[in-house]
Amino acid sequence: MLDIGFWTWAITIGLVLVLLAVDLALGWLRPHQVGFPEATAWSVFYVLVAIGFGVWFAAEHGGQYGTEYFAGYIVEKSLSVDNLFVFVIIMTTFAVPAEHQHKVLTFGIVLALVMRAVFIALGATLLALFSFMFLLFGLLLIFTAVQLFRHRDEDPDVENNFLVKSVRRVLPITDEYVGGKLVTRIDGRRVFTPLFVVLIAIGGIDLLFALDSIPAVFGVTEEPYIVFVANAFALLGLRALFFLVKGLLDRLVYLSAGLAIILAFIGVKLILHWAHVDIDQSVPEIPTPVSLGVILVVLVIVTVASLIKTKHDPSAKAHAGSLRAHHPTDQS
């Protein structure tokens, strides 16, 4: 069992909050269109921070925990790329001006961190109290993987999202973005801007991704501290990564299929762990180094195959994938 003291937790959370504050200051106080050099610099910075932390963590707590951290980080990073797809869809659907996309992304990252912190605490408590939660988490991941694979050529229907439709139905919404404000007044009446609706959509998406990503990372480590830092470092680089790769996302045509395979694999790993603990210790478990290797191989194959596909078929376009099919009755 990993023994993490109070000060290690405090310093780690403090580091995450400092990095988050920098993101918040850049996106909220100085709205601007992020160029390729700036996005590249910040992306490299966050990756180096994550790697540097992993090296320190492995040296301090051992190679096994270090491997679990890197496996968890890669899982969360790969899922965050799919998250970027949905962010792009939301930005496009609501025609968010380039100078406000920075702000929306920062909000999305903050909200994702808060939601995942809550789910990490809840998940760790449930796993500690009830070992059958490994079985439930495994079944949830396999179900998600099957649905994602079935609808891998679709995108989430943002406009018909329940939260978005409810907000539009209940609140007065303006047609224009008013200088990046969430609320404004027109003829003395308080109204909400489309930016408010965008943040609601981002929040709903963050919730769905938290429900998937937390069981996934608990599949490679049972340590709440590792789950937290893997999520935190993966999400903190999301803002810069969005501006760096948003023009390349359309080329990752097999990403959703690859993520489905990874989620299914981790789901099987969780079920085997449950069976090993609760049924028969002769049931084999999948070691973390094997999990890390499988995840890396799948991601490499998916990336290479996607680039080959789009090179030979420029009309091929990637999709974020959906957990349910879209029907004509969904339209309003």
Side-chain angles (χ1 to χ4, degrees), residues 9-69:
W9 270 104
I11 292 172
T12 303
I13 293 174
L15 173 62
V16 171
L17 290 177
V18 168
L19 294 172
L20 192 60
V22 172
D23 250 2
L24 185 62
L26 289 174
W28 204 271
L29 302 178
R30 193 171 65 89
H32 64 289
Q33 186 169 356
V34 178
F36 184 80
E38 180 182 351
T40 301
W42 279 109
S43 295
V44 171
F45 169 74
Y46 281 118
V47 170
L48 290 177
V49 168
I51 292 174
F53 176 87
V55 170
W56 167 82
F57 187 70
E60 186 73 15
H61 297 283
Q64 172 65 25
Y65 289 126
T67 303
E68 290 182 10
Y69 162 76

Short mmCIF file of all heavy atoms in Angstrom, two decimals, residues 9-69:
data_model
loop_
_atom_site.label_atom_id
_atom_site.label_comp_id
_atom_site.label_asym_id
_atom_site.label_seq_id
_atom_site.Cartn_x
_atom_site.Cartn_y
_atom_site.Cartn_z
N TRP A 9 0.71 15.24 -0.17
CA TRP A 9 -0.59 15.62 -0.75
C TRP A 9 -0.70 17.14 -0.89
O TRP A 9 -1.13 17.65 -1.94
CB TRP A 9 -1.73 15.11 0.13
CG TRP A 9 -2.24 13.75 -0.20
CD1 TRP A 9 -2.00 12.58 0.46
CD2 TRP A 9 -3.07 13.39 -1.31
NE1 TRP A 9 -2.63 11.53 -0.14
CE2 TRP A 9 -3.30 12.00 -1.23
CE3 TRP A 9 -3.66 14.12 -2.35
CZ2 TRP A 9 -4.10 11.31 -2.16
CZ3 TRP A 9 -4.45 13.43 -3.28
CH2 TRP A 9 -4.66 12.06 -3.18
N ALA A 10 -0.32 17.84 0.16
CA ALA A 10 -0.46 19.30 0.16
C ALA A 10 0.40 19.94 -0.93
O ALA A 10 -0.06 20.84 -1.66
CB ALA A 10 -0.08 19.86 1.54
N ILE A 11 1.65 19.49 -1.05
CA ILE A 11 2.56 20.06 -2.06
C ILE A 11 2.06 19.72 -3.47
O ILE A 11 2.09 20.56 -4.38
CB ILE A 11 3.99 19.54 -1.85
CG1 ILE A 11 4.56 20.10 -0.54
CG2 ILE A 11 4.89 19.93 -3.02
CD1 ILE A 11 5.89 19.51 -0.14
N THR A 12 1.57 18.49 -3.66
CA THR A 12 1.07 18.09 -4.97
C THR A 12 -0.13 18.93 -5.38
O THR A 12 -0.21 19.44 -6.50
CB THR A 12 0.67 16.59 -4.96
OG1 THR A 12 1.80 15.80 -4.57
CG2 THR A 12 0.20 16.16 -6.34
N ILE A 13 -1.09 19.05 -4.46
CA ILE A 13 -2.28 19.85 -4.75
C ILE A 13 -1.89 21.30 -4.99
O ILE A 13 -2.44 21.98 -5.87
CB ILE A 13 -3.31 19.73 -3.60
CG1 ILE A 13 -3.86 18.29 -3.54
CG2 ILE A 13 -4.46 20.72 -3.79
CD1 ILE A 13 -4.75 18.03 -2.35
N GLY A 14 -0.92 21.80 -4.19
CA GLY A 14 -0.45 23.17 -4.39
C GLY A 14 0.16 23.36 -5.77
O GLY A 14 -0.08 24.38 -6.43
N LEU A 15 0.96 22.38 -6.22
CA LEU A 15 1.56 22.46 -7.56
C LEU A 15 0.48 22.49 -8.64
O LEU A 15 0.56 23.30 -9.57
CB LEU A 15 2.49 21.26 -7.78
CG LEU A 15 3.08 21.10 -9.19
CD1 LEU A 15 3.96 22.28 -9.55
CD2 LEU A 15 3.87 19.79 -9.30
N VAL A 16 -0.52 21.63 -8.50
CA VAL A 16 -1.62 21.59 -9.47
C VAL A 16 -2.37 22.92 -9.48
O VAL A 16 -2.71 23.46 -10.54
CB VAL A 16 -2.59 20.43 -9.15
CG1 VAL A 16 -3.85 20.52 -10.01
CG2 VAL A 16 -1.90 19.09 -9.36
N LEU A 17 -2.62 23.49 -8.30
CA LEU A 17 -3.34 24.76 -8.22
C LEU A 17 -2.53 25.90 -8.83
O LEU A 17 -3.09 26.79 -9.48
CB LEU A 17 -3.67 25.07 -6.76
CG LEU A 17 -4.74 24.18 -6.12
CD1 LEU A 17 -4.93 24.56 -4.65
CD2 LEU A 17 -6.06 24.30 -6.87
N VAL A 18 -1.21 25.88 -8.64
CA VAL A 18 -0.36 26.92 -9.26
C VAL A 18 -0.43 26.83 -10.77
O VAL A 18 -0.61 27.85 -11.47
CB VAL A 18 1.10 26.78 -8.77
CG1 VAL A 18 2.02 27.64 -9.61
CG2 VAL A 18 1.20 27.18 -7.30
N LEU A 19 -0.28 25.62 -11.32
CA LEU A 19 -0.36 25.44 -12.77
C LEU A 19 -1.74 25.82 -13.28
O LEU A 19 -1.88 26.42 -14.35
CB LEU A 19 -0.05 23.98 -13.13
CG LEU A 19 1.39 23.52 -12.86
CD1 LEU A 19 1.51 22.02 -13.08
CD2 LEU A 19 2.37 24.28 -13.74
N LEU A 20 -2.76 25.47 -12.49
CA LEU A 20 -4.13 25.82 -12.87
C LEU A 20 -4.33 27.33 -12.86
O LEU A 20 -5.01 27.90 -13.73
CB LEU A 20 -5.10 25.14 -11.90
CG LEU A 20 -6.58 25.13 -12.28
CD1 LEU A 20 -6.78 24.41 -13.60
CD2 LEU A 20 -7.37 24.44 -11.18
N ALA A 21 -3.74 28.00 -11.88
CA ALA A 21 -3.85 29.46 -11.79
C ALA A 21 -3.21 30.13 -13.00
O ALA A 21 -3.72 31.14 -13.51
CB ALA A 21 -3.20 29.95 -10.50
N VAL A 22 -2.09 29.58 -13.46
CA VAL A 22 -1.44 30.12 -14.66
C VAL A 22 -2.36 29.98 -15.86
O VAL A 22 -2.54 30.91 -16.64
CB VAL A 22 -0.10 29.41 -14.91
CG1 VAL A 22 0.49 29.83 -16.25
CG2 VAL A 22 0.88 29.72 -13.79
N ASP A 23 -2.97 28.78 -16.01
CA ASP A 23 -3.92 28.56 -17.09
C ASP A 23 -5.09 29.53 -17.00
O ASP A 23 -5.52 30.11 -18.00
CB ASP A 23 -4.46 27.13 -17.02
CG ASP A 23 -3.95 26.27 -18.16
OD1 ASP A 23 -3.15 26.78 -18.97
OD2 ASP A 23 -4.33 25.09 -18.25
N LEU A 24 -5.59 29.70 -15.79
CA LEU A 24 -6.74 30.58 -15.58
C LEU A 24 -6.40 32.02 -15.92
O LEU A 24 -7.18 32.73 -16.57
CB LEU A 24 -7.20 30.48 -14.12
CG LEU A 24 -8.47 31.25 -13.74
CD1 LEU A 24 -9.65 30.72 -14.53
CD2 LEU A 24 -8.73 31.13 -12.24
N ALA A 25 -5.22 32.46 -15.51
CA ALA A 25 -4.80 33.83 -15.78
C ALA A 25 -4.64 34.07 -17.28
O ALA A 25 -5.08 35.10 -17.82
CB ALA A 25 -3.49 34.13 -15.06
N LEU A 26 -4.05 33.11 -17.98
CA LEU A 26 -3.84 33.26 -19.42
C LEU A 26 -5.15 33.26 -20.19
O LEU A 26 -5.34 34.03 -21.13
CB LEU A 26 -2.94 32.13 -19.94
CG LEU A 26 -1.47 32.18 -19.54
CD1 LEU A 26 -0.76 30.92 -20.00
CD2 LEU A 26 -0.79 33.41 -20.15
N GLY A 27 -6.07 32.39 -19.78
CA GLY A 27 -7.31 32.24 -20.53
C GLY A 27 -8.38 33.24 -20.17
O GLY A 27 -9.14 33.68 -21.02
N TRP A 28 -8.44 33.62 -18.91
CA TRP A 28 -9.54 34.47 -18.45
C TRP A 28 -9.18 35.95 -18.47
O TRP A 28 -10.00 36.79 -18.84
CB TRP A 28 -9.95 34.05 -17.04
CG TRP A 28 -11.37 34.41 -16.70
CD1 TRP A 28 -11.82 35.56 -16.16
CD2 TRP A 28 -12.52 33.59 -16.92
NE1 TRP A 28 -13.18 35.52 -16.01
CE2 TRP A 28 -13.63 34.32 -16.47
CE3 TRP A 28 -12.71 32.31 -17.44
CZ2 TRP A 28 -14.93 33.81 -16.52
CZ3 TRP A 28 -13.99 31.81 -17.50
CH2 TRP A 28 -15.08 32.55 -17.05
N LEU A 29 -7.98 36.28 -18.06
CA LEU A 29 -7.60 37.68 -17.94
C LEU A 29 -7.00 38.25 -19.22
O LEU A 29 -7.03 39.47 -19.44
CB LEU A 29 -6.59 37.85 -16.79
CG LEU A 29 -7.07 37.37 -15.41
CD1 LEU A 29 -5.96 37.55 -14.39
CD2 LEU A 29 -8.32 38.13 -14.99
N ARG A 30 -6.47 37.36 -20.08
CA ARG A 30 -5.86 37.85 -21.32
C ARG A 30 -6.37 37.02 -22.51
O ARG A 30 -5.64 36.24 -23.11
CB ARG A 30 -4.34 37.76 -21.24
CG ARG A 30 -3.60 38.51 -22.34
CD ARG A 30 -2.11 38.55 -22.05
NE ARG A 30 -1.49 37.24 -22.08
CZ ARG A 30 -0.99 36.69 -23.20
NH1 ARG A 30 -1.05 37.32 -24.34
NH2 ARG A 30 -0.43 35.49 -23.15
N PRO A 31 -7.68 37.19 -22.84
CA PRO A 31 -8.24 36.41 -23.95
C PRO A 31 -7.56 36.76 -25.26
O PRO A 31 -7.42 37.92 -25.62
CB PRO A 31 -9.72 36.83 -23.95
CG PRO A 31 -9.76 38.14 -23.26
CD PRO A 31 -8.67 38.11 -22.24
N HIS A 32 -7.10 35.73 -25.97
CA HIS A 32 -6.43 35.95 -27.25
C HIS A 32 -6.44 34.65 -28.05
O HIS A 32 -6.69 33.57 -27.50
CB HIS A 32 -4.99 36.41 -27.03
CG HIS A 32 -4.12 35.40 -26.34
ND1 HIS A 32 -4.27 35.07 -25.01
CD2 HIS A 32 -3.10 34.62 -26.80
CE1 HIS A 32 -3.38 34.16 -24.67
NE2 HIS A 32 -2.67 33.85 -25.75
N GLN A 33 -6.18 34.76 -29.33
CA GLN A 33 -6.11 33.58 -30.18
C GLN A 33 -4.73 32.96 -30.03
O GLN A 33 -3.71 33.60 -30.29
CB GLN A 33 -6.37 33.95 -31.64
CG GLN A 33 -6.47 32.74 -32.56
CD GLN A 33 -6.98 33.11 -33.93
OE1 GLN A 33 -7.34 34.26 -34.18
NE2 GLN A 33 -7.02 32.15 -34.83
N VAL A 34 -4.69 31.71 -29.58
CA VAL A 34 -3.42 31.03 -29.31
C VAL A 34 -2.81 30.53 -30.60
O VAL A 34 -3.44 29.80 -31.37
CB VAL A 34 -3.64 29.85 -28.33
CG1 VAL A 34 -2.32 29.13 -28.07
CG2 VAL A 34 -4.22 30.37 -27.02
N GLY A 35 -1.56 30.92 -30.85
CA GLY A 35 -0.87 30.50 -32.05
C GLY A 35 -0.13 29.19 -31.85
O GLY A 35 0.00 28.68 -30.73
N PHE A 36 0.38 28.63 -32.95
CA PHE A 36 1.06 27.34 -32.91
C PHE A 36 2.30 27.35 -32.01
O PHE A 36 2.50 26.43 -31.21
CB PHE A 36 1.44 26.91 -34.34
CG PHE A 36 2.07 25.55 -34.41
CD1 PHE A 36 1.29 24.40 -34.39
CD2 PHE A 36 3.45 25.41 -34.49
CE1 PHE A 36 1.87 23.14 -34.46
CE2 PHE A 36 4.04 24.16 -34.56
CZ PHE A 36 3.25 23.03 -34.53
N PRO A 37 3.18 28.38 -32.09
CA PRO A 37 4.38 28.37 -31.22
C PRO A 37 4.03 28.37 -29.73
O PRO A 37 4.64 27.65 -28.94
CB PRO A 37 5.11 29.66 -31.62
CG PRO A 37 4.64 29.95 -33.01
CD PRO A 37 3.21 29.52 -33.04
N GLU A 38 3.04 29.18 -29.35
CA GLU A 38 2.65 29.24 -27.94
C GLU A 38 2.06 27.90 -27.49
O GLU A 38 2.39 27.40 -26.40
CB GLU A 38 1.62 30.35 -27.72
CG GLU A 38 1.15 30.47 -26.28
CD GLU A 38 0.10 31.54 -26.08
OE1 GLU A 38 -0.15 32.33 -27.04
OE2 GLU A 38 -0.49 31.61 -24.99
N ALA A 39 1.19 27.31 -28.33
CA ALA A 39 0.58 26.03 -27.99
C ALA A 39 1.63 24.94 -27.87
O ALA A 39 1.57 24.09 -26.97
CB ALA A 39 -0.46 25.65 -29.05
N THR A 40 2.62 24.96 -28.77
CA THR A 40 3.69 23.96 -28.73
C THR A 40 4.51 24.09 -27.44
O THR A 40 4.79 23.09 -26.76
CB THR A 40 4.63 24.12 -29.94
OG1 THR A 40 3.87 23.97 -31.15
CG2 THR A 40 5.74 23.09 -29.90
N ALA A 41 4.87 25.32 -27.10
CA ALA A 41 5.68 25.55 -25.90
C ALA A 41 4.97 25.06 -24.64
O ALA A 41 5.57 24.37 -23.80
CB ALA A 41 6.01 27.04 -25.78
N TRP A 42 3.68 25.41 -24.50
CA TRP A 42 2.94 24.99 -23.32
C TRP A 42 2.72 23.48 -23.29
O TRP A 42 2.78 22.85 -22.23
CB TRP A 42 1.59 25.72 -23.25
CG TRP A 42 1.71 27.11 -22.69
CD1 TRP A 42 1.59 28.29 -23.36
CD2 TRP A 42 2.01 27.46 -21.33
NE1 TRP A 42 1.80 29.35 -22.51
CE2 TRP A 42 2.05 28.87 -21.26
CE3 TRP A 42 2.26 26.72 -20.17
CZ2 TRP A 42 2.31 29.55 -20.07
CZ3 TRP A 42 2.52 27.39 -18.99
CH2 TRP A 42 2.55 28.79 -18.95
N SER A 43 2.47 22.86 -24.46
CA SER A 43 2.27 21.41 -24.51
C SER A 43 3.53 20.68 -24.07
O SER A 43 3.47 19.72 -23.28
CB SER A 43 1.88 20.98 -25.93
OG SER A 43 0.62 21.51 -26.30
N VAL A 44 4.68 21.11 -24.58
CA VAL A 44 5.95 20.50 -24.20
C VAL A 44 6.20 20.69 -22.70
O VAL A 44 6.64 19.78 -22.00
CB VAL A 44 7.11 21.10 -25.02
CG1 VAL A 44 8.46 20.63 -24.47
CG2 VAL A 44 6.98 20.71 -26.49
N PHE A 45 5.89 21.88 -22.21
CA PHE A 45 6.08 22.18 -20.78
C PHE A 45 5.28 21.22 -19.90
O PHE A 45 5.81 20.62 -18.96
CB PHE A 45 5.67 23.62 -20.49
CG PHE A 45 5.57 23.94 -19.02
CD1 PHE A 45 6.71 24.10 -18.25
CD2 PHE A 45 4.32 24.08 -18.41
CE1 PHE A 45 6.62 24.38 -16.89
CE2 PHE A 45 4.22 24.36 -17.06
CZ PHE A 45 5.38 24.52 -16.30
N TYR A 46 4.00 21.03 -20.23
CA TYR A 46 3.15 20.17 -19.39
C TYR A 46 3.57 18.70 -19.48
O TYR A 46 3.51 17.98 -18.48
CB TYR A 46 1.68 20.32 -19.79
CG TYR A 46 1.05 21.56 -19.21
CD1 TYR A 46 0.54 22.56 -20.04
CD2 TYR A 46 0.94 21.75 -17.84
CE1 TYR A 46 -0.03 23.71 -19.52
CE2 TYR A 46 0.37 22.88 -17.30
CZ TYR A 46 -0.13 23.86 -18.15
OH TYR A 46 -0.69 24.99 -17.62
N VAL A 47 3.98 18.25 -20.65
CA VAL A 47 4.46 16.87 -20.79
C VAL A 47 5.73 16.68 -19.97
O VAL A 47 5.89 15.66 -19.27
CB VAL A 47 4.70 16.52 -22.27
CG1 VAL A 47 5.43 15.18 -22.38
CG2 VAL A 47 3.38 16.46 -23.02
N LEU A 48 6.65 17.65 -20.02
CA LEU A 48 7.88 17.55 -19.24
C LEU A 48 7.60 17.56 -17.74
O LEU A 48 8.26 16.84 -16.98
CB LEU A 48 8.84 18.69 -19.62
CG LEU A 48 9.45 18.62 -21.02
CD1 LEU A 48 10.32 19.85 -21.27
CD2 LEU A 48 10.27 17.34 -21.18
N VAL A 49 6.64 18.37 -17.31
CA VAL A 49 6.26 18.39 -15.90
C VAL A 49 5.74 17.01 -15.48
O VAL A 49 6.12 16.48 -14.43
CB VAL A 49 5.19 19.47 -15.63
CG1 VAL A 49 4.59 19.29 -14.24
CG2 VAL A 49 5.79 20.86 -15.74
N ALA A 50 4.87 16.43 -16.32
CA ALA A 50 4.30 15.12 -16.01
C ALA A 50 5.39 14.04 -15.97
O ALA A 50 5.40 13.18 -15.07
CB ALA A 50 3.24 14.75 -17.05
N ILE A 51 6.32 14.07 -16.94
CA ILE A 51 7.40 13.09 -16.97
C ILE A 51 8.34 13.30 -15.78
O ILE A 51 8.75 12.33 -15.11
CB ILE A 51 8.19 13.20 -18.29
CG1 ILE A 51 7.31 12.74 -19.46
CG2 ILE A 51 9.46 12.35 -18.23
CD1 ILE A 51 7.96 12.94 -20.81
N GLY A 52 8.67 14.56 -15.50
CA GLY A 52 9.54 14.85 -14.37
C GLY A 52 8.94 14.37 -13.06
O GLY A 52 9.64 13.78 -12.22
N PHE A 53 7.65 14.58 -12.89
CA PHE A 53 6.98 14.09 -11.69
C PHE A 53 7.05 12.57 -11.63
O PHE A 53 7.32 12.00 -10.56
CB PHE A 53 5.52 14.54 -11.67
CG PHE A 53 4.75 13.99 -10.50
CD1 PHE A 53 4.75 14.64 -9.28
CD2 PHE A 53 4.05 12.79 -10.62
CE1 PHE A 53 4.07 14.11 -8.19
CE2 PHE A 53 3.36 12.26 -9.54
CZ PHE A 53 3.38 12.93 -8.32
N GLY A 54 6.82 11.91 -12.78
CA GLY A 54 6.85 10.45 -12.80
C GLY A 54 8.21 9.90 -12.44
O GLY A 54 8.32 8.88 -11.73
N VAL A 55 9.27 10.53 -12.93
CA VAL A 55 10.64 10.09 -12.61
C VAL A 55 10.90 10.23 -11.10
O VAL A 55 11.43 9.33 -10.45
CB VAL A 55 11.68 10.89 -13.42
CG1 VAL A 55 13.09 10.61 -12.92
CG2 VAL A 55 11.55 10.57 -14.91
N TRP A 56 10.52 11.40 -10.54
CA TRP A 56 10.68 11.60 -9.10
C TRP A 56 9.87 10.58 -8.32
O TRP A 56 10.35 9.98 -7.35
CB TRP A 56 10.24 13.00 -8.70
CG TRP A 56 10.09 13.14 -7.21
CD1 TRP A 56 11.06 13.38 -6.30
CD2 TRP A 56 8.86 12.98 -6.46
NE1 TRP A 56 10.53 13.39 -5.03
CE2 TRP A 56 9.19 13.15 -5.09
CE3 TRP A 56 7.53 12.72 -6.81
CZ2 TRP A 56 8.23 13.06 -4.09
CZ3 TRP A 56 6.58 12.62 -5.81
CH2 TRP A 56 6.94 12.80 -4.46
N PHE A 57 8.63 10.35 -8.77
CA PHE A 57 7.72 9.45 -8.06
C PHE A 57 8.26 8.03 -8.05
O PHE A 57 8.22 7.34 -7.02
CB PHE A 57 6.35 9.51 -8.72
CG PHE A 57 5.28 8.76 -7.98
CD1 PHE A 57 4.80 9.22 -6.77
CD2 PHE A 57 4.75 7.58 -8.50
CE1 PHE A 57 3.81 8.54 -6.07
CE2 PHE A 57 3.78 6.89 -7.82
CZ PHE A 57 3.30 7.37 -6.60
N ALA A 58 8.79 7.58 -9.21
CA ALA A 58 9.35 6.23 -9.29
C ALA A 58 10.59 6.09 -8.41
O ALA A 58 10.79 5.07 -7.74
CB ALA A 58 9.69 5.90 -10.74
N ALA A 59 11.44 7.13 -8.40
CA ALA A 59 12.64 7.09 -7.57
C ALA A 59 12.29 7.10 -6.09
O ALA A 59 12.96 6.46 -5.27
CB ALA A 59 13.54 8.28 -7.91
N GLU A 60 11.22 7.81 -5.73
CA GLU A 60 10.83 7.96 -4.32
C GLU A 60 10.05 6.76 -3.80
O GLU A 60 10.23 6.35 -2.65
CB GLU A 60 9.99 9.23 -4.17
CG GLU A 60 9.64 9.60 -2.73
CD GLU A 60 10.82 10.14 -1.94
OE1 GLU A 60 11.84 10.50 -2.57
OE2 GLU A 60 10.72 10.18 -0.71
N HIS A 61 9.20 6.18 -4.64
CA HIS A 61 8.27 5.15 -4.15
C HIS A 61 8.42 3.79 -4.84
O HIS A 61 7.67 2.86 -4.53
CB HIS A 61 6.83 5.63 -4.31
CG HIS A 61 6.51 6.85 -3.49
ND1 HIS A 61 6.29 6.80 -2.14
CD2 HIS A 61 6.41 8.16 -3.85
CE1 HIS A 61 6.04 8.03 -1.68
NE2 HIS A 61 6.12 8.86 -2.70
N GLY A 62 9.35 3.68 -5.78
CA GLY A 62 9.59 2.38 -6.40
C GLY A 62 9.06 2.29 -7.83
O GLY A 62 8.13 3.00 -8.22
N GLY A 63 9.68 1.38 -8.58
CA GLY A 63 9.34 1.24 -9.99
C GLY A 63 7.92 0.77 -10.24
O GLY A 63 7.30 1.16 -11.24
N GLN A 64 7.37 -0.05 -9.35
CA GLN A 64 6.00 -0.55 -9.53
C GLN A 64 5.00 0.60 -9.53
O GLN A 64 4.16 0.72 -10.43
CB GLN A 64 5.65 -1.55 -8.43
CG GLN A 64 4.18 -1.99 -8.41
CD GLN A 64 3.77 -2.76 -9.63
OE1 GLN A 64 4.61 -3.38 -10.30
NE2 GLN A 64 2.48 -2.73 -9.95
N TYR A 65 5.11 1.47 -8.53
CA TYR A 65 4.19 2.61 -8.46
C TYR A 65 4.47 3.61 -9.58
O TYR A 65 3.56 4.26 -10.09
CB TYR A 65 4.30 3.30 -7.10
CG TYR A 65 3.71 2.49 -5.97
CD1 TYR A 65 4.47 2.20 -4.83
CD2 TYR A 65 2.42 2.00 -6.04
CE1 TYR A 65 3.94 1.44 -3.79
CE2 TYR A 65 1.87 1.24 -5.00
CZ TYR A 65 2.63 0.97 -3.88
OH TYR A 65 2.11 0.22 -2.87
N GLY A 66 5.75 3.73 -9.96
CA GLY A 66 6.07 4.60 -11.08
C GLY A 66 5.43 4.12 -12.37
O GLY A 66 4.90 4.91 -13.16
N THR A 67 5.46 2.79 -12.59
CA THR A 67 4.82 2.21 -13.78
C THR A 67 3.32 2.44 -13.75
O THR A 67 2.70 2.76 -14.78
CB THR A 67 5.11 0.70 -13.85
OG1 THR A 67 6.51 0.48 -13.86
CG2 THR A 67 4.49 0.09 -15.11
N GLU A 68 2.71 2.30 -12.56
CA GLU A 68 1.28 2.55 -12.44
C GLU A 68 0.94 4.00 -12.77
O GLU A 68 -0.06 4.29 -13.44
CB GLU A 68 0.81 2.21 -11.02
CG GLU A 68 0.82 0.73 -10.70
CD GLU A 68 0.32 0.43 -9.31
OE1 GLU A 68 -0.23 1.35 -8.66
OE2 GLU A 68 0.46 -0.72 -8.86
N TYR A 69 1.80 4.92 -12.32
CA TYR A 69 1.56 6.33 -12.63
C TYR A 69 1.61 6.58 -14.13
O TYR A 69 0.70 7.22 -14.70
CB TYR A 69 2.58 7.22 -11.93
CG TYR A 69 2.65 8.61 -12.53
CD1 TYR A 69 1.66 9.56 -12.27
CD2 TYR A 69 3.69 8.96 -13.41
CE1 TYR A 69 1.71 10.82 -12.86
CE2 TYR A 69 3.75 10.21 -13.99
CZ TYR A 69 2.75 11.14 -13.71
OH TYR A 69 2.79 12.38 -14.31
#
